[in-house]
Amino acid sequence: MVTKTEMPNPLHTELDLYSADDLIDVLIEDQRNALKAVWDSREKLAEAVRQALPRMRDGGRLIYVGAGTSGRLGLMDSVELYPTFSWPKHRAIALMAGGSRAIGESIEGAEDDERQGASDILSVKAAANDVVLAIAASGRTPYVLGALRAARRAGALTIGLANNPDASVVTEAHIGIVLDTGPEVISGSTRLKAGTAQKIALNSFSSALMVGLNKVYGNLMVDLRPTSAKLIHRSVNLTTHATGASDELARRTLESCGFQVKVAIVALKRGIGVTEAESQLAAVDGSVRRAIAK
């Protein structure tokens, strides 16, 4: 059966005759369908966040599973959670068909190995508090389905993302999210708008999840991990913006608490020491807003 993502696009049957200007126009315009597809799935994405939150609060992990472009997008989302939200690295795992080699090259046949998908899930000991995101444009990739089925047997919450309606990844997951992007401008090249839709959906899911886990104050990313000079500078800016303190005072307070922006904000807003600020945050599950209001 030919899926929608693999069908030739009837609007651009002579794509190879287009000028460079027309090619760029068409390729960009078609990306609008990616945003629409994610928008249409927003209720399912919100439900996924609601069901994932209590599992994350109980110590669960996010486990991303995919092959090819889908696997790399899952990997990207997983690795960005640590510097952005201080999400522990061991609680954001990316499994890819073909293993780490597949990050930079195509591993022939890896995506067709359903047993390996199941084995990889078993190797990370997926359990009831874990959330497994199974990502496949076609929705029928054997590696991803093997992982999804093994995750369900292990009791993990499974979230399936696919770009084709009624695909197995969607129908077999606890929460199936259809990102119906239709045929690609270049037939079957799901690195185009199908991939864009997956990226938006994953960004939206993980960002909303982190907000729910008190990683954001207002709209400020106050639980970032300053792993570079740029992020140290950003930490100072976030602290001054949230508290009105001078750059000098903000930096001095940040230095005294290992550049924990949340701690510095509470200390400065409450006029207390950083040790007391840490205790206040711990008592309210890391919520800056609640710690300030105490």
Side-chain angles (χ1 to χ4, degrees):
M1 180 184 72
V2 177
T3 59
K4 291 175 72 173
T5 52
E6 296 168 350
M7 291 172 58
N9 192 317
L11 300 178
H12 304 290
T13 58
E14 295 184 342
L15 189 71
D16 59 330
L17 299 179
Y18 288 13
S19 69
D21 288 338
D22 288 342
L23 280 170
I24 292 298
D25 285 353
V26 164
L27 287 163
I28 293 174
E29 177 65 27
D30 199 44
Q31 295 287 330
R32 294 179 188 270
N33 293 310
L35 182 57
K36 181 182 184 303
V38 182
W39 179 255
D40 290 344
S41 74
R42 64 192 183 280
E43 291 181 3
K44 288 285 191 178
L45 280 165
E47 179 61 21
V49 172
R50 283 191 290 270
Q51 291 202 33
L53 269 171
R55 290 169 169 84
M56 296 302 101
R57 291 186 182 123
D58 286 342
R61 299 169 296 171
L62 295 171
I63 303 173
Y64 300 76
V65 183
T69 297
S70 297
R72 295 182 190 103
L73 288 169
L75 173 67
M76 186 186 306
D77 203 67
S78 74
V79 300
E80 289 177 347
L81 295 180
Y82 174 72
T84 309
F85 300 110
S86 294
W87 187 249
K89 294 178 182 179
H90 70 277
R91 294 180 64 190
I93 299 169
L95 303 177
M96 284 189 64
S100 58
R101 278 182 57 208
I103 296 171
E105 62 180 292
S106 176
I107 307 298
E108 296 300 326
E111 69 177 43
D112 298 325
D113 194 340
E114 183 173 340
R115 287 186 178 181
Q116 188 61 52
S119 177
D120 285 353
I121 283 291
L122 291 174
S123 72
V124 298
K125 297 180 172 61
N129 282 334
D130 293 329
V131 176
V132 174
L133 296 110
I135 316 158
S138 69
R140 62 186 188 190
T141 306
Y143 174 85
V144 176
L145 285 172
L148 171 62
R149 290 162 182 164
R152 284 202 63 140
R153 289 192 295 271
L157 174 67
T158 55
I159 301 170
L161 295 94
N163 298 89
N164 286 294
D166 302 318
S168 297
V169 162
V170 171
T171 59
E172 295 188 31
H174 292 105
I175 302 173
I177 300 172
V178 178
L179 307 170
D180 189 0
T181 44
E184 298 285 0
V185 170
I186 300 174
S187 301
S189 183
T190 52
R191 59 181 285 274
L192 299 174
K193 68 174 178 285
T196 300
Q198 291 174 4
K199 180 71 166 68
I200 298 171
L202 290 170
N203 273 174
S204 300
F205 169 78
S206 61
S207 296
L209 191 62
M210 293 298 136
V211 173
L213 292 169
N214 298 319
K215 302 290 187 178
V216 173
Y217 170 54
N219 65 349
L220 305 178
M221 46 182 280
V222 294
D223 211 7
L224 81 164
R225 181 68 59 179
T227 54
S228 66
K230 176 188 75 174
L231 292 179
I232 289 174
H233 180 68
R234 184 176 298 167
S235 297
V236 174
N237 287 343
L238 287 166
T239 304
T240 59
H241 184 86
T243 64
S246 66
D247 284 2
E248 180 183 355
L249 178 57
R251 180 177 285 273
R252 191 163 65 245
T253 306
L254 284 163
E255 288 173 346
S256 69
C257 63
F259 277 85
Q260 298 178 78
V261 177
K262 292 168 75 170
V263 174
I265 291 173
V266 173
L268 289 167
K269 293 279 279 186
R270 296 272 314 270
I272 58 178
V274 294
T275 301
E276 176 65 13
E278 285 186 88
S279 297
Q280 295 290 341
L281 279 164
V284 291
D285 199 27
S287 169
V288 171
R289 190 174 298 279
R290 289 166 61 197
I292 290 172
K294 289 185 69 174

